[in-house]
Amino acid sequence: MTDWEMKFQQLLDQEVDEVQVSREDFLNARTILIQKGWLFQVVGEAKHGGITIYRRNPVAPTS
């Protein structure tokens, strides 16, 4: 399990409230979300400086 996979799993398991992804890691993190089918279970919010903050999607069905 990669670091990003573990971080997003913690997010989906409600162990953490958000995951911050830097501009440099964005494509790696997004690839994990797509591969695992988690893309619609989280919501990303772009911040100044290329940071993206992912939180659980409150309207996504749980798996």
Side-chain angles (χ1 to χ4, degrees):
M1 182 178 285
T2 66
D3 285 342
W4 287 116
E5 189 175 346
M6 187 171 40
K7 289 179 183 185
F8 284 116
Q9 186 63 58
Q10 290 174 337
L11 178 65
L12 295 173
D13 291 343
Q14 299 182 5
E15 295 174 13
V16 296
D17 292 328
E18 64 184 31
V19 173
Q20 290 191 18
V21 179
S22 68
R23 176 187 342 194
E24 295 81 15
D25 293 326
F26 177 78
L27 290 178
N28 292 331
R30 184 166 170 81
T31 300
I32 293 293
L33 291 173
I34 292 169
Q35 287 175 347
K36 293 292 186 176
W38 295 338
L39 190 60
F40 299 108
Q41 294 178 352
V42 298
V43 175
E45 179 182 352
K47 294 291 190 177
H48 185 69
I51 302 286
T52 303
I53 299 175
Y54 286 98
R55 295 181 180 94
R56 288 181 309 281
N57 186 349
V59 295
T62 56
S63 57

